[in-house]
Amino acid sequence: MKRPHFDSPPLPKRKKRRGRRKSKAERLARITSEPKQTDDLFRLLNDYSSCKWDAAQSLALRMGTPDARAMVVRIILIKHKAPRAAAHYAKRLDMQNHELLNAVLSNSSPSSLAPLLLAQFLVELDETSLATEERLNRFLWPWLLQIVEQQAEIASVKAAVHLLLHPTSSDDAKVQEKKEQGRKLERALVTKCLKEGKLLHLVPPHALAFADRMSVCSSIAHEDEKTDLKFEETIDVEMQRRFSVAHHVQEVLRLMWPDTRVFLFGSSVTGFLSTFVNDEFYSPDVDLCALLPSSPQFRQDTAPLITEIKEHLNLYFSSDMTEDSEQVTAVTRARVPIVHFVDPSTNLLCDLCVNNVSALWNTRLLRRLLYGGADITTLEQQQLVHVRHFCKWIRKWRRIKKRAVGGALSSYGLMLLAIYYLQRISVLPVLDCSTNAVEDELTLRTLTEEELDKRIQATDTVFVDANDKCQVVRHWQTLRRGFFRFYTCEFDYEQTIVSLRTKELMYKTSKGWSRQKNTRLCLEDPIEIERDLGLLCSKRALGRLRCAFAHACIVLSKAEENEDLRDLETNLLASWKYEDENA
């Protein structure tokens, strides 16, 4: 049976909701008849109920004044000491930068407020709410200066600084944004320290924050290799000049010591002979070693012999000598005494030592690493071209940064750091020739460069990571970026020795070179392995060296963000205040 149809009245049309759904507290606040007055806002904020705080937020929005919004954040933060809630309402009130700072610091300064409370508030704010530069300049930097000046409540200030820079130790994905915010603040702090030349002791520990900003496999566009590495610098003419100097000195010395043989060593053999620094041509001294089998003294024992050689060379190289000056001088108190003179035919500065077998071994070892052996492959040849280009740039960088770097390391020491890094990334092999260098009369009579090369070639070569041995050529700029990253963010100055002899890491404790709280640089001589080349590098000099490394990381990390690519070289070699003597 068909049911009868009854017409039902139409349902009322549902009103379309506009905007976000308001909370219960907001709806209650809206229907109240509270006047929009500051006293009412203050009364709501004096309550400890979140519902009242929500009502205060709604009231502040309706009032629409900066003072009303500031009151909400300030009272919740300072009176109720609820930094997370204060940051929450600051975001909901859309308070940013200067408005937010005025709210927090109104009638106050960072030093008059509890530092830890402020830090807890700041870490809850994102970059949009408060920029990194504002955090640094308005809070972190003044607090650090307070610590240095040893003002009151240092413990709380230190806690606030630590919280700002390391907001969380958790690896939870939800807090990664906070951790990155802390690292960004660390990078800004390092940059400010270097540019202002202040608080430089903070640079090494906080420069670690650049590690994730510098990829050693970056895709930065390099200059055309035909322009960069079209030809390596032609050194034949310069080498001929230096060989002629060595031959001339040998002939002069044989007039007194007939069995003398004079060898070139150092940059004259490795090929790092000249460079342009500030548009000026620079050529290093000619390093000479005289082997005298008839006088088998070594190192400091050669001081009397050096004095005799100095007097002998004076007769031949001082034709224009005046009564008040000498063109040939002797340095007899050095570990390896030398004669310093100017060759009259080429006008080159020369340093002559006697029976320095270790120097000859070191030079041939470096040449083997930089140019390869007899069995070198085409790929290895191409890679070594970039290695040598990188090493030349590092030497140029040291010379320009001499005020900051020169006091810490010699050019030779810096080359050892570069080679050690290249060994760690398996670009260069590890060689141990330390047992081959013997100081005796027989060596002085028979040693030749060919014999040295033959014995080095016979030495076993290994790579730190054979599986990681590069199968493609790494550009010299990539090597440069990795070098600065390694010595800024990775190398353990406190525990590790720079040693070119071992595949495994060598620790200071293994050689008895460790001391309590000792962060000095330990650099082992590849031949005289008991000699620490880092002993002359003071704590202050090492600090300045690490500042120079961090400076390069700042510039290179910006380059990875495609900033200032055209000015990269200029910025890398620019002078900052940390290089000043008084910094």
Side-chain angles (χ1 to χ4, degrees), residues 160-306:
V161 168
H162 185 271
L163 181 61
L164 272 186
L165 296 174
H166 308 285
T168 178
S169 59
S170 172
D171 291 328
D172 192 328
K174 294 182 179 179
V175 298
Q176 286 303 313
E177 184 178 343
K178 285 186 179 180
K179 295 181 74 172
E180 176 54 33
Q181 187 172 282
R183 287 192 290 265
K184 190 172 183 179
L185 187 57
E186 284 188 279
R187 293 191 288 269
L189 171 62
V190 169
T191 304
K192 187 176 181 71
C193 290
L194 294 177
K195 288 188 173 181
E196 296 198 5
K198 298 178 180 178
L199 306 179
L200 296 180
H201 64 285
L202 298 175
V203 172
H206 296 294
L208 301 178
F210 285 96
D212 59 352
R213 310 298 294 179
M214 296 182 64
S215 169
V216 294
C217 298
S218 174
S219 59
I220 292 179
H222 301 296
E223 298 176 7
D224 186 357
E225 289 189 17
K226 292 182 180 179
T227 302
D228 246 356
L229 303 171
K230 186 175 182 180
F231 298 106
E232 288 200 276
E233 186 177 4
T234 303
I235 60 174
D236 290 345
V237 175
E238 182 67 17
M239 286 296 295
Q240 287 300 321
R241 294 175 69 210
R242 290 166 182 260
F243 275 118
S244 68
V245 171
H247 179 72
H248 184 202
V249 172
Q250 178 174 280
E251 293 301 313
V252 171
L253 291 180
R254 281 183 173 179
L255 297 175
M256 180 67 71
W257 297 273
D259 58 351
T260 301
R261 292 183 298 148
V262 176
F263 294 88
L264 290 168
F265 71 95
S267 57
S268 298
V269 177
T270 57
F272 302 133
L273 290 179
S274 56
T275 186
F276 283 90
V277 178
N278 297 330
D279 297 327
E280 294 183 4
F281 185 78
Y282 164 74
S283 183
D285 297 351
V286 180
D287 294 317
L288 300 168
C289 177
L291 299 185
L292 276 66
S294 58
S295 301
Q297 290 91 32
F298 301 93
R299 304 181 193 179
Q300 178 54 225
D301 293 339
T302 62
L305 186 58
I306 284 292

Side-chain angles (χ1 to χ4, degrees), residues 3 12 18 55 61 69 88 99 231 258 331 344 503 510 533:
R3 294 183 179 180
R18 295 182 180 178
L61 287 173
R69 294 192 294 270
H88 168 73
E99 183 184 359
F231 298 106
V331 181
K503 176 181 176 181
S510 66
L533 300 176

Side-chain angles (χ1 to χ4, degrees), residues 22 40 153 260 332 377 391 411 420 460-461 468 496 513 561:
K22 294 181 173 57
D40 297 324
E153 298 184 5
T260 301
T332 57
T377 66
C391 290
S411 295
Y420 178 77
D460 292 336
T461 60
D468 192 40
T496 310
W513 290 0
E561 298 169 0

